[in-house]
Amino acid sequence: MRIVRNSISALLLCGVLCANFARAEDVSEMKAEMADMKAKMAAMELALAGGNSGGGDAESIQSMKKKGAVTIGGDVNVDILVKRRADVTNSNDMVNSTEFSTNSANLRFKVGQPDAYLYIKLDLDDPWSDDKLDGIGDQDDLLEEVRFVWKNIRSTNWGMVFGKGEVPYGQDKTLGIIQSYHHSDGPTSNEGPVFIVAGTEEAWDPQEYSRNNPHANVGSTRHPGETDNVFMVSVDYTYKNVLKFEFAVFQNNETYGRGASTRGMHEDRADDHLGFQSVAARMWYLPTDNLTFELSFIKKHVDSFGDTDQYGKLAEADAYAVSLGFDYTPRTVPLNIFGEYQQAWDWSHTSQYDLKIAQIGFMWNMSAAVKYGMMYEWLGIQGNNGQQNESYQKVVASLQYNFLNGMYSILEYGYEYYNAEIGHGGDDARSGQLFAFRTGWAF
């Protein structure tokens, strides 16, 4: 078989060289021909080797029932997080923690055709995650996303998504390990820490807090961010590659928190029956190929959280937020500049609990292998009819090195300052620092 493969390769190479001998000066065309030849050789080697069992680089494999192509990818990161922060009980008492983390470990499958396919994302670390302990309601599933996607329906600019995934809200840009406030609605996320002054491990569990771990989160921390792991129906429309509109109805799954004893039901009815109770909409505007604007809106509904008998007179069934973001890459400088602003009302399903979040950051490609970035963020919380005022400020510096084999390493430093002005002598100030190192590979 090796003789046959080598003979075929030699014949193809001779044919290309002979055909281009008279135009040898056209280097670009020769490179294109060679790239095409290599692709054909890889496919031929795959066929000679008996499908996918032998060598050869293939972009996809064929499904068992031969209904479509299957592509596989993913990203795996191993982090070490060294944090020093002021304790929630005393600003002079420092809490020191060292954590290893594999939270960001995902495997992705795409099955089907370019315009109609099934997308599956497996969160390999999620089944052992304690994220549900923060009371936010993250689903604890290995199967994080499973959605059917249709593009260019009947040769139009319309598309549709049905299944479980992330709703179209927010821009969600960050540097690397330490995540943006815009990324997650909790103190941490599967991709990395969000709040530096947040608790470590069991500190998110109220039972653990009362039993053996007093180092809880500093401040309220509840804020709007990405909404994923939800079942939804979404449609989108693209206009001349300049505007893209997305709209989704989804079933909110926040009912882990606030002492809810059941999930998904309030008395004799569903907390969210998918009938336009929770919605999200987003618009992308691309005036040029190096500038993007994002505008989005979300409404999250939980029927039981509006029960004033159970949660008090400030209980609200609905929470609202809007986002405005931009992403700019100058044509002559290897620099990416981004920013986002969010405004939220009645967040945490609590009346008068309003938030503002602002971000500005950049990533500079210092060379083909080295990237350097910085990010500044501010989060302000106002609640209880103006009697509660909290703010977080965070600065992150990131240095990334990309190896030739596709792996990368990231070194980051983050500093966060918390300040609170709460009535009846509740003023407070805390700070924290975080050193983080990551080795990862996206494939």
Side-chain angles (χ1 to χ4, degrees):
M1 184 175 293
R2 184 181 297 275
I3 296 174
V4 173
R5 185 164 61 246
N6 291 341
S7 300
I8 293 173
S9 301
L11 288 172
L12 285 171
L13 182 60
C14 290
V16 171
L17 291 175
C18 292
N20 288 277
F21 181 76
R23 296 176 294 163
E25 70 282 359
D26 193 346
V27 178
S28 61
E29 184 173 341
M30 174 65 78
K31 289 182 177 180
E33 292 279 356
M34 291 294 291
D36 183 62
M37 181 197 71
K38 289 179 179 179
K40 291 179 179 178
M41 287 176 61
M44 196 171 298
E45 285 184 345
L46 187 65
L48 289 171
N52 195 45
S53 60
D57 294 330
E59 293 185 355
S60 63
I61 58 178
Q62 195 172 43
S63 63
M64 292 179 64
K65 293 189 176 182
K66 305 185 186 301
K67 299 294 184 179
V70 180
T71 55
I72 304 174
D75 52 273
V76 177
N77 299 303
V78 177
D79 299 343
I80 180 170
L81 310 173
V82 180
K83 183 163 61 174
R84 179 177 173 82
R85 68 181 182 91
D87 198 352
V88 65
T89 57
N90 190 331
S91 60
N92 296 319
D93 185 11
M94 304 305 294
V95 179
N96 301 299
S97 62
T98 300
E99 300 175 76
F100 278 90
S101 172
T102 57
N103 279 343
S104 182
N106 305 296
L107 193 59
R108 309 168 195 271
F109 299 86
K110 184 177 176 181
V111 185
Q113 306 301 326
D115 287 344
Y117 58 87
L118 170 65
Y119 177 84
I120 298 174
K121 177 184 175 183
L122 303 181
D123 190 339
L124 302 181
D125 199 69
D126 204 37
W128 300 273
S129 170
D130 287 337
D131 280 0
K132 67 177 182 292
L133 300 180
D134 61 11
I136 293 170
D138 298 334
Q139 288 192 354
D140 207 18
D141 291 345
L142 171 66
L143 189 59
E144 182 167 317
E145 293 189 34
V146 52
R147 45 190 167 89
F148 294 92
V149 180
W150 292 271
K151 296 183 177 180
N152 303 315
I153 298 175
R154 299 187 67 84
S155 300
T156 67
N157 293 333
W158 286 93
M160 182 177 177
V161 176
F162 175 72
K164 179 183 178 184
E166 180 180 339
V167 303
Y169 174 74
Q171 178 175 262
D172 190 13
K173 287 273 292 188
T174 196
L175 297 178
I177 307 170
I178 302 173
Q179 300 298 301
S180 166
Y181 293 141
H182 297 287
H183 174 64
S184 172
D185 60 356
T188 187
S189 73
N190 287 338
E191 285 75 27
V194 178
F195 288 82
I196 298 175
V197 294
T200 304
E201 296 181 346
E202 290 85 358
W204 303 322
D205 185 354
Q207 294 181 352
E208 291 291 335
Y209 170 74
S210 62
R211 186 163 65 244
N212 60 14
N213 193 342
H215 311 299
N217 298 326
V218 172
S220 300
T221 72
R222 291 296 302 272
H223 67 289
E226 73 172 9
T227 299
D228 57 1
N229 257 322
V230 296
F231 289 94
M232 64 178 181
V233 180
S234 173
V235 295
D236 59 83
Y237 178 79
T238 304
Y239 177 73
K240 294 184 178 180
N241 294 322
V242 175
L243 286 172
K244 182 177 181 179
F245 301 93
E246 301 170 276
F247 177 80
V249 295
F250 62 95
Q251 190 169 47
N252 196 13
N253 60 5
E254 291 183 298
T255 49
Y256 275 120
R258 300 188 64 169
S261 58
T262 60
R263 177 180 174 186
M265 293 294 293
H266 179 217
E267 298 175 348
D268 61 349
R269 56 191 179 275
D271 263 324
D272 187 341
H273 54 58
L274 201 62
F276 293 89
Q277 291 183 303
S278 293
V279 299
R282 180 167 59 190
M283 180 184 72
W284 299 98
Y285 174 49
L286 294 79
T288 64
D289 58 1
N290 63 331
L291 177 62
T292 302
F293 292 101
E294 168 268 337
L295 176 64
S296 55
F297 165 81
I298 191 170
K299 171 193 171 187
K300 302 176 76 172
H301 177 85
V302 179
D303 193 81
S304 59
F305 288 173
D307 189 337
T308 55
D309 292 333
Q310 184 174 3
Y311 297 117
K313 63 180 182 180
L314 298 180
E316 291 285 350
D318 297 319
Y320 308 87
V322 295
S323 165
L324 175 64
F326 78 94
D327 188 295
Y328 176 62
T329 302
R331 299 182 187 277
T332 57
V333 181
L335 186 70
N336 176 240
I337 306 171
F338 58 89
E340 186 175 359
Y341 173 81
Q342 280 194 86
Q343 174 83 53
W345 300 269
D346 297 340
W347 204 254
S348 189
H349 299 278
T350 302
S351 179
Q352 304 172 8
Y353 185 85
D354 304 331
L355 299 101
K356 297 178 182 178
I357 307 174
Q359 173 207 56
I360 187 70
F362 72 87
M363 181 66 78
W364 174 32
N365 295 322
M366 301 174 64
S367 69
V370 180
K371 293 182 179 181
Y372 175 74
M374 291 193 70
M375 178 177 69
Y376 168 79
E377 295 188 310
W378 171 81
L379 186 157
I381 302 173
Q382 186 177 59
N384 194 21
N385 197 25
Q387 298 300 309
Q388 173 189 359
N389 290 281
E390 302 176 73
S391 69
Y392 297 84
Q393 296 185 71
K394 182 172 63 180
V395 179
V396 180
S398 176
L399 184 65
Q400 177 173 332
Y401 182 82
N402 299 315
F403 297 96
L404 293 177
N405 61 3
M407 295 184 183
Y408 53 85
S409 290
I410 303 175
L411 180 65
E412 285 189 3
Y413 169 78
Y415 174 83
E416 187 173 49
Y417 177 76
Y418 167 82
N419 183 65
E421 297 177 359
I422 302 175
H424 307 292
D427 295 356
D428 195 9
R430 297 283 188 275
S431 64
Q433 301 181 70
L434 175 63
F435 290 91
F437 176 77
R438 165 176 291 178
T439 295
W441 191 25
F443 56 92

